[in-house]
Amino acid sequence: MTLTGAEIVVRCLQEEKVEYVFGYPGGAVLFIYDALFEQDGVRHVLVRHEQAAVHAADGFARTTGKVGVALVTSGPGATNAVTGIATAYMDSIPLVIISGQVPSSAIGQDAFQEVDTIGITRPCVKHNFLVKDVRDIASTIKKAFYLAATGRPGPVLVDIPKDISAQRCDFEYPSTVELRSYNPVVKGHHGQIKKAAQLLLEAKRPMIYTGGGVVLANAAEKLTRLSRLLGYPVTNTLMGLGGYPASDKQFVGMLGMHGTYEANMAMQYCDVLLAVGARFDDRVIGDPKHFAAEPRKIVHIDVDPSSISKRVKVDVPIVGDVGEVLDEMIRLIEAGAERPNADALGAWWKQIDAWRGRNCMAYRNSDDVIKPQYVLEKLWQVTNGEAFVTTDVGQHQMWGAQYYHFDKPRRWVTSGGLGTMGFGLPAAMGAQLANPGSPVACITGEGSIQMCIQELSTCKQYRLPIKVLSLNNRYLGMVRQWQEFFHGNRYSESYMDSLPDFAKLAEAYGHIGMQITKPSDVEGALREAFRRKDELVFLDFQIDPTENVYPMVQGGKGLSEMILAPEDL
């Protein structure tokens, strides 16, 4: 079957059972757009900015576990997409980005809308390809999907010159992929798993620390089974929320910079630590020297060998798929006669409960001004904890992590590694298209939402009934908080002056806008918004501009050096 390169691209997407492509047309990809027009198997979603295309594909991927797909043109189309690509790369999200390129003969000639897309994206992709022969398109796209989804997932970019997309060749989609230099380990080393199980059973102060790898590997049920088998405390990273039920009594909350007191203290003072699909990053353990000051044995399970002992030296490294390793660990423990030391574990839980007694998430509510924590608590109640929640980045993101309690994986969609403002709304679009009929809430701030607010137009075109909750404090809130704490209250360029009326702006896009100024109106507004199942509702909550996120671990400090309240500063 002889097809054009553009037709081959579309046929490849059909072979991969791609449901949605998020993109924006331009000269270098017009042949591909023409091929999309001639079929109806793959739906295209027209965003209003290429950054949003990648974020939307990202939101689709995070909530489904499937590979998200974005399509952008050359030059500014590709460079606009880089922020989305870097966001996915930092959080290990499987994406395939197809970018157009100037004709092959013009590459390197400073042609109109030419950039070195391969060079620009190399630091923030799992891999990238420049297709130089139309006969290579099918095999390259097959490789791209395979690379994106296997091992440690990530974004893969395929750059296709315009002339290549117009040339013709026979089409055959490969059934398998063989990459000599790429063979990710799936099964963990039996001896290491056995050693890890023994260490866990001998622990007196055990801790299970889990990250986004549990969610990406679809291993939440296995983690829950192991944790309940042992009876050990569990903490999630920001990316791992939902990987273990937040309502379970063994869950001690999120850890890290804005984690709970009990999670951070247990992490610091445990004697055996099981790290599952997490990477000990700076926002989790603070100062590595402070963390290393307390002796403990560390077991680290990760599919990516480069993540093990990268920041913290571990005692039992296990490279492999998280689900496969947990499966074998469960079998070993269940088959053996040994069980955890009940007396030691009881004493450890008594200590953890004492730390819990600090009630670090308590806040002073108000009848006069809306507290952001109250909004998030009510959101959780109104949605029964069943919503898909996306966020932008800042104080609102941390309050969302702290006060919306996730019992299921893939419900929490946030930019963890890169911290990308503008992520929330387009990610919500991808989540809503992936989960039609399910409630989707985008938690944002008046600063972040303006980064990609044009996507309200996309939401109107595709009738996406997202509920946007703007926690509007008239500041770049997290910047203001740091300026208050560490820069002598010098609020340099963090006050947002001349803000639009967001409710009216939403209405201008054809949606419903609400402005909420009284605490007594919060719950009613949320219930009204979610009653409107077929409409996007923008809720502009005018919150207390002085509210800060607590607890907090200052950058460069250790996990146990927490700021729990203003008097700790």
Side-chain angles (χ1 to χ4, degrees), residues 51-52 54-56 58-59 62 83-84 87-88 91 93 389-393 397 412-416 419-429 442 444 448-449 451-452:
Q51 178 182 341
V54 185
H55 289 333
D58 186 319
R62 293 190 201 223
T83 298
T87 300
D91 290 343
I93 306 303
V389 178
T390 72
T391 80
D392 277 297
V393 172
Q397 176 190 32
W412 171 245
V413 179
T414 196
S415 171
T420 306
M421 295 173 71
F423 175 79
L425 181 56
M429 299 188 316
C442 169
T444 186
S448 285
I449 191 62
M451 296 272 185
C452 280

PDB file of all heavy atoms in Angstrom, residues 51-52 54-56 58-59 62 83-84 87-88 91 93 389-393 397 412-416 419-429 442 444 448-449 451-452:
ATOM      1  N   GLN A  51       2.091  25.057  23.863  1.00  0.00           N
ATOM      2  CA  GLN A  51       2.380  24.606  25.232  1.00  0.00           C
ATOM      3  C   GLN A  51       1.185  23.840  25.784  1.00  0.00           C
ATOM      4  O   GLN A  51       1.329  22.779  26.407  1.00  0.00           O
ATOM      5  CB  GLN A  51       2.698  25.791  26.144  1.00  0.00           C
ATOM      6  CG  GLN A  51       2.959  25.386  27.593  1.00  0.00           C
ATOM      7  CD  GLN A  51       3.227  26.577  28.507  1.00  0.00           C
ATOM      8  OE1 GLN A  51       3.560  27.659  28.037  1.00  0.00           O
ATOM      9  NE2 GLN A  51       3.088  26.390  29.806  1.00  0.00           N
ATOM     10  N   ALA A  52      -0.005  24.361  25.521  1.00  0.00           N
ATOM     11  CA  ALA A  52      -1.226  23.723  26.010  1.00  0.00           C
ATOM     12  C   ALA A  52      -1.451  22.376  25.340  1.00  0.00           C
ATOM     13  O   ALA A  52      -2.028  21.465  25.955  1.00  0.00           O
ATOM     14  CB  ALA A  52      -2.422  24.640  25.783  1.00  0.00           C
ATOM     15  N   VAL A  54       0.771  20.122  24.563  1.00  0.00           N
ATOM     16  CA  VAL A  54       1.563  19.109  25.261  1.00  0.00           C
ATOM     17  C   VAL A  54       1.019  18.884  26.670  1.00  0.00           C
ATOM     18  O   VAL A  54       0.937  17.747  27.140  1.00  0.00           O
ATOM     19  CB  VAL A  54       3.052  19.494  25.281  1.00  0.00           C
ATOM     20  CG1 VAL A  54       3.884  18.373  25.892  1.00  0.00           C
ATOM     21  CG2 VAL A  54       3.550  19.796  23.873  1.00  0.00           C
ATOM     22  N   HIS A  55       0.635  19.965  27.369  1.00  0.00           N
ATOM     23  CA  HIS A  55       0.039  19.796  28.706  1.00  0.00           C
ATOM     24  C   HIS A  55      -1.252  18.979  28.639  1.00  0.00           C
ATOM     25  O   HIS A  55      -1.530  18.163  29.536  1.00  0.00           O
ATOM     26  CB  HIS A  55      -0.270  21.162  29.324  1.00  0.00           C
ATOM     27  CG  HIS A  55       0.930  21.947  29.752  1.00  0.00           C
ATOM     28  ND1 HIS A  55       2.117  21.364  30.125  1.00  0.00           N
ATOM     29  CD2 HIS A  55       1.110  23.301  29.899  1.00  0.00           C
ATOM     30  CE1 HIS A  55       2.982  22.310  30.466  1.00  0.00           C
ATOM     31  NE2 HIS A  55       2.400  23.483  30.341  1.00  0.00           N
ATOM     32  N   ALA A  56      -2.064  19.201  27.609  1.00  0.00           N
ATOM     33  CA  ALA A  56      -3.317  18.453  27.481  1.00  0.00           C
ATOM     34  C   ALA A  56      -3.031  16.975  27.218  1.00  0.00           C
ATOM     35  O   ALA A  56      -3.682  16.087  27.798  1.00  0.00           O
ATOM     36  CB  ALA A  56      -4.177  19.047  26.371  1.00  0.00           C
ATOM     37  N   ASP A  58      -0.429  15.482  28.175  1.00  0.00           N
ATOM     38  CA  ASP A  58       0.116  15.068  29.470  1.00  0.00           C
ATOM     39  C   ASP A  58      -1.028  14.699  30.430  1.00  0.00           C
ATOM     40  O   ASP A  58      -1.007  13.639  31.072  1.00  0.00           O
ATOM     41  CB  ASP A  58       0.957  16.218  30.021  1.00  0.00           C
ATOM     42  CG  ASP A  58       1.697  15.889  31.300  1.00  0.00           C
ATOM     43  OD1 ASP A  58       1.127  15.232  32.179  1.00  0.00           O
ATOM     44  OD2 ASP A  58       2.847  16.335  31.448  1.00  0.00           O
ATOM     45  N   GLY A  59      -2.034  15.570  30.544  1.00  0.00           N
ATOM     46  CA  GLY A  59      -3.171  15.284  31.424  1.00  0.00           C
ATOM     47  C   GLY A  59      -3.903  14.026  30.996  1.00  0.00           C
ATOM     48  O   GLY A  59      -4.358  13.236  31.843  1.00  0.00           O
ATOM     49  N   ARG A  62      -1.590  11.059  32.095  1.00  0.00           N
ATOM     50  CA  ARG A  62      -1.525  10.818  33.547  1.00  0.00           C
ATOM     51  C   ARG A  62      -2.785  10.141  34.071  1.00  0.00           C
ATOM     52  O   ARG A  62      -2.715   9.341  35.014  1.00  0.00           O
ATOM     53  CB  ARG A  62      -1.300  12.136  34.292  1.00  0.00           C
ATOM     54  CG  ARG A  62       0.056  12.754  34.032  1.00  0.00           C
ATOM     55  CD  ARG A  62       0.319  13.907  34.975  1.00  0.00           C
ATOM     56  NE  ARG A  62       1.348  14.801  34.457  1.00  0.00           N
ATOM     57  CZ  ARG A  62       2.332  15.320  35.186  1.00  0.00           C
ATOM     58  NH1 ARG A  62       2.432  15.029  36.461  1.00  0.00           N
ATOM     59  NH2 ARG A  62       3.216  16.138  34.641  1.00  0.00           N
ATOM     60  N   THR A  83       8.210  23.800  26.902  1.00  0.00           N
ATOM     61  CA  THR A  83       7.840  23.835  28.319  1.00  0.00           C
ATOM     62  C   THR A  83       6.982  22.626  28.687  1.00  0.00           C
ATOM     63  O   THR A  83       7.167  22.011  29.743  1.00  0.00           O
ATOM     64  CB  THR A  83       7.093  25.134  28.653  1.00  0.00           C
ATOM     65  OG1 THR A  83       7.959  26.240  28.416  1.00  0.00           O
ATOM     66  CG2 THR A  83       6.654  25.150  30.112  1.00  0.00           C
ATOM     67  N   GLY A  84       6.047  22.265  27.807  1.00  0.00           N
ATOM     68  CA  GLY A  84       5.230  21.087  28.061  1.00  0.00           C
ATOM     69  C   GLY A  84       6.046  19.813  28.028  1.00  0.00           C
ATOM     70  O   GLY A  84       5.831  18.893  28.840  1.00  0.00           O
ATOM     71  N   THR A  87       8.067  19.569  31.185  1.00  0.00           N
ATOM     72  CA  THR A  87       7.178  19.219  32.297  1.00  0.00           C
ATOM     73  C   THR A  87       6.966  17.713  32.351  1.00  0.00           C
ATOM     74  O   THR A  87       7.068  17.081  33.413  1.00  0.00           O
ATOM     75  CB  THR A  87       5.824  19.933  32.134  1.00  0.00           C
ATOM     76  OG1 THR A  87       6.033  21.342  32.132  1.00  0.00           O
ATOM     77  CG2 THR A  87       4.860  19.566  33.257  1.00  0.00           C
ATOM     78  N   ALA A  88       6.664  17.115  31.204  1.00  0.00           N
ATOM     79  CA  ALA A  88       6.441  15.671  31.137  1.00  0.00           C
ATOM     80  C   ALA A  88       7.718  14.899  31.435  1.00  0.00           C
ATOM     81  O   ALA A  88       7.687  13.853  32.093  1.00  0.00           O
ATOM     82  CB  ALA A  88       5.903  15.292  29.758  1.00  0.00           C
ATOM     83  N   ASP A  91       8.463  14.631  35.163  1.00  0.00           N
ATOM     84  CA  ASP A  91       7.533  13.781  35.905  1.00  0.00           C
ATOM     85  C   ASP A  91       7.367  12.394  35.287  1.00  0.00           C
ATOM     86  O   ASP A  91       6.490  11.633  35.706  1.00  0.00           O
ATOM     87  CB  ASP A  91       6.164  14.469  36.005  1.00  0.00           C
ATOM     88  CG  ASP A  91       6.187  15.681  36.919  1.00  0.00           C
ATOM     89  OD1 ASP A  91       7.139  15.808  37.718  1.00  0.00           O
ATOM     90  OD2 ASP A  91       5.260  16.510  36.839  1.00  0.00           O
ATOM     91  N   ILE A  93       6.314  11.232  32.239  1.00  0.00           N
ATOM     92  CA  ILE A  93       5.013  11.013  31.624  1.00  0.00           C
ATOM     93  C   ILE A  93       5.195  10.567  30.174  1.00  0.00           C
ATOM     94  O   ILE A  93       5.920  11.211  29.405  1.00  0.00           O
ATOM     95  CB  ILE A  93       4.155  12.296  31.685  1.00  0.00           C
ATOM     96  CG1 ILE A  93       4.066  12.816  33.122  1.00  0.00           C
ATOM     97  CG2 ILE A  93       2.768  12.028  31.105  1.00  0.00           C
ATOM     98  CD1 ILE A  93       3.519  11.825  34.131  1.00  0.00           C
ATOM     99  N   VAL A 389      -8.314  15.918  39.800  1.00  0.00           N
ATOM    100  CA  VAL A 389      -7.909  17.255  40.225  1.00  0.00           C
ATOM    101  C   VAL A 389      -6.595  17.615  39.554  1.00  0.00           C
ATOM    102  O   VAL A 389      -5.578  16.942  39.745  1.00  0.00           O
ATOM    103  CB  VAL A 389      -7.765  17.339  41.758  1.00  0.00           C
ATOM    104  CG1 VAL A 389      -7.288  18.726  42.174  1.00  0.00           C
ATOM    105  CG2 VAL A 389      -9.087  16.992  42.447  1.00  0.00           C
ATOM    106  N   THR A 390      -6.609  18.676  38.754  1.00  0.00           N
ATOM    107  CA  THR A 390      -5.379  19.202  38.186  1.00  0.00           C
ATOM    108  C   THR A 390      -5.039  20.506  38.912  1.00  0.00           C
ATOM    109  O   THR A 390      -5.912  21.135  39.504  1.00  0.00           O
ATOM    110  CB  THR A 390      -5.512  19.484  36.679  1.00  0.00           C
ATOM    111  OG1 THR A 390      -6.327  20.638  36.463  1.00  0.00           O
ATOM    112  CG2 THR A 390      -6.115  18.290  35.954  1.00  0.00           C
ATOM    113  N   THR A 391      -3.779  20.895  38.864  1.00  0.00           N
ATOM    114  CA  THR A 391      -3.390  22.151  39.505  1.00  0.00           C
ATOM    115  C   THR A 391      -2.390  22.901  38.641  1.00  0.00           C
ATOM    116  O   THR A 391      -1.722  22.329  37.779  1.00  0.00           O
ATOM    117  CB  THR A 391      -2.726  21.936  40.882  1.00  0.00           C
ATOM    118  OG1 THR A 391      -1.352  21.562  40.707  1.00  0.00           O
ATOM    119  CG2 THR A 391      -3.448  20.895  41.706  1.00  0.00           C
ATOM    120  N   ASP A 392      -2.309  24.167  38.933  1.00  0.00           N
ATOM    121  CA  ASP A 392      -1.164  24.944  38.482  1.00  0.00           C
ATOM    122  C   ASP A 392      -0.112  24.862  39.585  1.00  0.00           C
ATOM    123  O   ASP A 392      -0.092  23.889  40.341  1.00  0.00           O
ATOM    124  CB  ASP A 392      -1.597  26.371  38.160  1.00  0.00           C
ATOM    125  CG  ASP A 392      -2.177  26.463  36.746  1.00  0.00           C
ATOM    126  OD1 ASP A 392      -1.432  26.195  35.803  1.00  0.00           O
ATOM    127  OD2 ASP A 392      -3.366  26.815  36.597  1.00  0.00           O
ATOM    128  N   VAL A 393       0.733  25.858  39.719  1.00  0.00           N
ATOM    129  CA  VAL A 393       1.856  25.752  40.650  1.00  0.00           C
ATOM    130  C   VAL A 393       1.911  26.961  41.563  1.00  0.00           C
ATOM    131  O   VAL A 393       1.803  28.097  41.107  1.00  0.00           O
ATOM    132  CB  VAL A 393       3.186  25.590  39.885  1.00  0.00           C
ATOM    133  CG1 VAL A 393       4.379  25.685  40.822  1.00  0.00           C
ATOM    134  CG2 VAL A 393       3.197  24.250  39.159  1.00  0.00           C
ATOM    135  N   GLN A 397      -1.467  24.862  44.803  1.00  0.00           N
ATOM    136  CA  GLN A 397      -1.047  23.489  44.518  1.00  0.00           C
ATOM    137  C   GLN A 397      -0.783  22.726  45.814  1.00  0.00           C
ATOM    138  O   GLN A 397      -1.229  21.587  45.991  1.00  0.00           O
ATOM    139  CB  GLN A 397       0.219  23.528  43.662  1.00  0.00           C
ATOM    140  CG  GLN A 397       0.829  22.169  43.351  1.00  0.00           C
ATOM    141  CD  GLN A 397       2.200  22.316  42.711  1.00  0.00           C
ATOM    142  OE1 GLN A 397       2.940  23.265  42.994  1.00  0.00           O
ATOM    143  NE2 GLN A 397       2.548  21.391  41.839  1.00  0.00           N
ATOM    144  N   TRP A 412      -4.835  12.712  40.726  1.00  0.00           N
ATOM    145  CA  TRP A 412      -4.076  13.923  41.061  1.00  0.00           C
ATOM    146  C   TRP A 412      -3.117  14.214  39.919  1.00  0.00           C
ATOM    147  O   TRP A 412      -2.246  13.398  39.591  1.00  0.00           O
ATOM    148  CB  TRP A 412      -3.328  13.688  42.369  1.00  0.00           C
ATOM    149  CG  TRP A 412      -2.332  14.724  42.788  1.00  0.00           C
ATOM    150  CD1 TRP A 412      -0.976  14.555  42.896  1.00  0.00           C
ATOM    151  CD2 TRP A 412      -2.581  16.075  43.227  1.00  0.00           C
ATOM    152  NE1 TRP A 412      -0.379  15.704  43.353  1.00  0.00           N
ATOM    153  CE2 TRP A 412      -1.336  16.653  43.567  1.00  0.00           C
ATOM    154  CE3 TRP A 412      -3.735  16.844  43.352  1.00  0.00           C
ATOM    155  CZ2 TRP A 412      -1.225  17.967  44.024  1.00  0.00           C
ATOM    156  CZ3 TRP A 412      -3.614  18.154  43.817  1.00  0.00           C
ATOM    157  CH2 TRP A 412      -2.381  18.701  44.150  1.00  0.00           C
ATOM    158  N   VAL A 413      -3.261  15.371  39.286  1.00  0.00           N
ATOM    159  CA  VAL A 413      -2.492  15.714  38.092  1.00  0.00           C
ATOM    160  C   VAL A 413      -1.831  17.068  38.330  1.00  0.00           C
ATOM    161  O   VAL A 413      -2.498  18.109  38.298  1.00  0.00           O
ATOM    162  CB  VAL A 413      -3.406  15.763  36.855  1.00  0.00           C
ATOM    163  CG1 VAL A 413      -2.623  16.132  35.612  1.00  0.00           C
ATOM    164  CG2 VAL A 413      -4.123  14.423  36.663  1.00  0.00           C
ATOM    165  N   THR A 414      -0.527  17.047  38.575  1.00  0.00           N
ATOM    166  CA  THR A 414       0.161  18.292  38.907  1.00  0.00           C
ATOM    167  C   THR A 414       1.576  18.259  38.360  1.00  0.00           C
ATOM    168  O   THR A 414       2.154  17.186  38.157  1.00  0.00           O
ATOM    169  CB  THR A 414       0.173  18.504  40.432  1.00  0.00           C
ATOM    170  OG1 THR A 414       0.498  19.863  40.735  1.00  0.00           O
ATOM    171  CG2 THR A 414       1.164  17.594  41.131  1.00  0.00           C
ATOM    172  N   SER A 415       2.142  19.416  38.116  1.00  0.00           N
ATOM    173  CA  SER A 415       3.524  19.522  37.651  1.00  0.00           C
ATOM    174  C   SER A 415       4.441  19.529  38.871  1.00  0.00           C
ATOM    175  O   SER A 415       4.574  20.539  39.547  1.00  0.00           O
ATOM    176  CB  SER A 415       3.714  20.802  36.822  1.00  0.00           C
ATOM    177  OG  SER A 415       5.080  21.013  36.545  1.00  0.00           O
ATOM    178  N   GLY A 416       5.059  18.388  39.147  1.00  0.00           N
ATOM    179  CA  GLY A 416       5.877  18.257  40.343  1.00  0.00           C
ATOM    180  C   GLY A 416       7.315  18.666  40.135  1.00  0.00           C
ATOM    181  O   GLY A 416       7.858  19.501  40.836  1.00  0.00           O
ATOM    182  N   GLY A 419       7.475  22.278  38.002  1.00  0.00           N
ATOM    183  CA  GLY A 419       6.714  23.356  38.647  1.00  0.00           C
ATOM    184  C   GLY A 419       6.220  24.369  37.639  1.00  0.00           C
ATOM    185  O   GLY A 419       6.553  25.558  37.716  1.00  0.00           O
ATOM    186  N   THR A 420       5.383  23.932  36.700  1.00  0.00           N
ATOM    187  CA  THR A 420       5.012  24.748  35.545  1.00  0.00           C
ATOM    188  C   THR A 420       3.700  25.490  35.759  1.00  0.00           C
ATOM    189  O   THR A 420       2.625  24.883  35.767  1.00  0.00           O
ATOM    190  CB  THR A 420       4.895  23.852  34.296  1.00  0.00           C
ATOM    191  OG1 THR A 420       6.116  23.119  34.128  1.00  0.00           O
ATOM    192  CG2 THR A 420       4.621  24.687  33.061  1.00  0.00           C
ATOM    193  N   MET A 421       3.778  26.799  35.924  1.00  0.00           N
ATOM    194  CA  MET A 421       2.571  27.615  35.899  1.00  0.00           C
ATOM    195  C   MET A 421       1.955  27.525  34.501  1.00  0.00           C
ATOM    196  O   MET A 421       2.667  27.496  33.502  1.00  0.00           O
ATOM    197  CB  MET A 421       2.892  29.063  36.259  1.00  0.00           C
ATOM    198  CG  MET A 421       3.390  29.259  37.677  1.00  0.00           C
ATOM    199  SD  MET A 421       3.952  30.959  38.002  1.00  0.00           S
ATOM    200  CE  MET A 421       2.386  31.845  38.008  1.00  0.00           C
ATOM    201  N   GLY A 422       0.620  27.480  34.450  1.00  0.00           N
ATOM    202  CA  GLY A 422      -0.068  27.317  33.180  1.00  0.00           C
ATOM    203  C   GLY A 422      -0.428  25.883  32.860  1.00  0.00           C
ATOM    204  O   GLY A 422      -1.127  25.613  31.881  1.00  0.00           O
ATOM    205  N   PHE A 423       0.004  24.948  33.674  1.00  0.00           N
ATOM    206  CA  PHE A 423      -0.233  23.525  33.432  1.00  0.00           C
ATOM    207  C   PHE A 423      -1.684  23.121  33.678  1.00  0.00           C
ATOM    208  O   PHE A 423      -2.245  22.277  32.977  1.00  0.00           O
ATOM    209  CB  PHE A 423       0.697  22.708  34.339  1.00  0.00           C
ATOM    210  CG  PHE A 423       0.491  21.213  34.291  1.00  0.00           C
ATOM    211  CD1 PHE A 423       1.004  20.465  33.256  1.00  0.00           C
ATOM    212  CD2 PHE A 423      -0.208  20.558  35.300  1.00  0.00           C
ATOM    213  CE1 PHE A 423       0.834  19.085  33.209  1.00  0.00           C
ATOM    214  CE2 PHE A 423      -0.390  19.181  35.268  1.00  0.00           C
ATOM    215  CZ  PHE A 423       0.135  18.442  34.219  1.00  0.00           C
ATOM    216  N   GLY A 424      -2.323  23.711  34.687  1.00  0.00           N
ATOM    217  CA  GLY A 424      -3.574  23.195  35.221  1.00  0.00           C
ATOM    218  C   GLY A 424      -4.725  23.098  34.248  1.00  0.00           C
ATOM    219  O   GLY A 424      -5.366  22.048  34.139  1.00  0.00           O
ATOM    220  N   LEU A 425      -5.036  24.195  33.532  1.00  0.00           N
ATOM    221  CA  LEU A 425      -6.212  24.198  32.663  1.00  0.00           C
ATOM    222  C   LEU A 425      -6.056  23.256  31.469  1.00  0.00           C
ATOM    223  O   LEU A 425      -6.939  22.423  31.224  1.00  0.00           O
ATOM    224  CB  LEU A 425      -6.544  25.617  32.205  1.00  0.00           C
ATOM    225  CG  LEU A 425      -7.780  25.765  31.314  1.00  0.00           C
ATOM    226  CD1 LEU A 425      -9.026  25.194  31.982  1.00  0.00           C
ATOM    227  CD2 LEU A 425      -8.007  27.222  30.927  1.00  0.00           C
ATOM    228  N   PRO A 426      -4.960  23.325  30.704  1.00  0.00           N
ATOM    229  CA  PRO A 426      -4.838  22.366  29.602  1.00  0.00           C
ATOM    230  C   PRO A 426      -4.749  20.919  30.074  1.00  0.00           C
ATOM    231  O   PRO A 426      -5.274  20.018  29.406  1.00  0.00           O
ATOM    232  CB  PRO A 426      -3.567  22.802  28.864  1.00  0.00           C
ATOM    233  CG  PRO A 426      -2.868  23.745  29.771  1.00  0.00           C
ATOM    234  CD  PRO A 426      -3.888  24.344  30.663  1.00  0.00           C
ATOM    235  N   ALA A 427      -4.105  20.672  31.220  1.00  0.00           N
ATOM    236  CA  ALA A 427      -4.068  19.304  31.756  1.00  0.00           C
ATOM    237  C   ALA A 427      -5.468  18.831  32.088  1.00  0.00           C
ATOM    238  O   ALA A 427      -5.818  17.661  31.883  1.00  0.00           O
ATOM    239  CB  ALA A 427      -3.172  19.244  32.986  1.00  0.00           C
ATOM    240  N   ALA A 428      -6.309  19.743  32.594  1.00  0.00           N
ATOM    241  CA  ALA A 428      -7.708  19.406  32.886  1.00  0.00           C
ATOM    242  C   ALA A 428      -8.464  19.054  31.610  1.00  0.00           C
ATOM    243  O   ALA A 428      -9.347  18.187  31.619  1.00  0.00           O
ATOM    244  CB  ALA A 428      -8.383  20.559  33.613  1.00  0.00           C
ATOM    245  N   MET A 429      -8.125  19.718  30.497  1.00  0.00           N
ATOM    246  CA  MET A 429      -8.767  19.393  29.222  1.00  0.00           C
ATOM    247  C   MET A 429      -8.467  17.950  28.831  1.00  0.00           C
ATOM    248  O   MET A 429      -9.361  17.196  28.432  1.00  0.00           O
ATOM    249  CB  MET A 429      -8.295  20.350  28.121  1.00  0.00           C
ATOM    250  CG  MET A 429      -8.624  21.813  28.390  1.00  0.00           C
ATOM    251  SD  MET A 429      -8.294  22.942  27.004  1.00  0.00           S
ATOM    252  CE  MET A 429      -6.701  22.438  26.408  1.00  0.00           C
ATOM    253  N   CYS A 442      -9.949  22.028  38.232  1.00  0.00           N
ATOM    254  CA  CYS A 442      -8.635  22.647  38.058  1.00  0.00           C
ATOM    255  C   CYS A 442      -8.440  23.667  39.167  1.00  0.00           C
ATOM    256  O   CYS A 442      -9.155  24.668  39.242  1.00  0.00           O
ATOM    257  CB  CYS A 442      -8.536  23.325  36.695  1.00  0.00           C
ATOM    258  SG  CYS A 442      -7.073  24.382  36.502  1.00  0.00           S
ATOM    259  N   THR A 444      -6.297  26.546  40.690  1.00  0.00           N
ATOM    260  CA  THR A 444      -5.331  27.476  40.119  1.00  0.00           C
ATOM    261  C   THR A 444      -5.278  28.747  40.954  1.00  0.00           C
ATOM    262  O   THR A 444      -5.956  28.876  41.968  1.00  0.00           O
ATOM    263  CB  THR A 444      -5.703  27.781  38.646  1.00  0.00           C
ATOM    264  OG1 THR A 444      -4.682  28.579  38.047  1.00  0.00           O
ATOM    265  CG2 THR A 444      -7.046  28.499  38.540  1.00  0.00           C
ATOM    266  N   SER A 448      -1.199  31.942  37.865  1.00  0.00           N
ATOM    267  CA  SER A 448      -1.033  30.773  36.994  1.00  0.00           C
ATOM    268  C   SER A 448      -2.066  30.718  35.881  1.00  0.00           C
ATOM    269  O   SER A 448      -1.741  30.394  34.732  1.00  0.00           O
ATOM    270  CB  SER A 448      -1.120  29.489  37.824  1.00  0.00           C
ATOM    271  OG  SER A 448       0.048  29.261  38.572  1.00  0.00           O
ATOM    272  N   ILE A 449      -3.318  31.015  36.189  1.00  0.00           N
ATOM    273  CA  ILE A 449      -4.376  30.818  35.195  1.00  0.00           C
ATOM    274  C   ILE A 449      -4.158  31.694  33.974  1.00  0.00           C
ATOM    275  O   ILE A 449      -4.528  31.328  32.848  1.00  0.00           O
ATOM    276  CB  ILE A 449      -5.776  31.076  35.815  1.00  0.00           C
ATOM    277  CG1 ILE A 449      -6.897  30.615  34.867  1.00  0.00           C
ATOM    278  CG2 ILE A 449      -5.952  32.538  36.169  1.00  0.00           C
ATOM    279  CD1 ILE A 449      -6.898  29.137  34.559  1.00  0.00           C
ATOM    280  N   MET A 451      -1.469  32.229  32.490  1.00  0.00           N
ATOM    281  CA  MET A 451      -0.436  31.688  31.603  1.00  0.00           C
ATOM    282  C   MET A 451      -1.036  30.948  30.401  1.00  0.00           C
ATOM    283  O   MET A 451      -0.461  30.955  29.311  1.00  0.00           O
ATOM    284  CB  MET A 451       0.474  30.732  32.382  1.00  0.00           C
ATOM    285  CG  MET A 451       1.271  31.385  33.479  1.00  0.00           C
ATOM    286  SD  MET A 451       2.819  32.023  32.838  1.00  0.00           S
ATOM    287  CE  MET A 451       3.614  32.586  34.341  1.00  0.00           C
ATOM    288  N   CYS A 452      -2.168  30.281  30.606  1.00  0.00           N
ATOM    289  CA  CYS A 452      -2.802  29.528  29.512  1.00  0.00           C
ATOM    290  C   CYS A 452      -4.308  29.754  29.500  1.00  0.00           C
ATOM    291  O   CYS A 452      -5.070  28.855  29.142  1.00  0.00           O
ATOM    292  CB  CYS A 452      -2.486  28.033  29.633  1.00  0.00           C
ATOM    293  SG  CYS A 452      -0.850  27.567  29.017  1.00  0.00           S
TER     294      CYS A 452
END
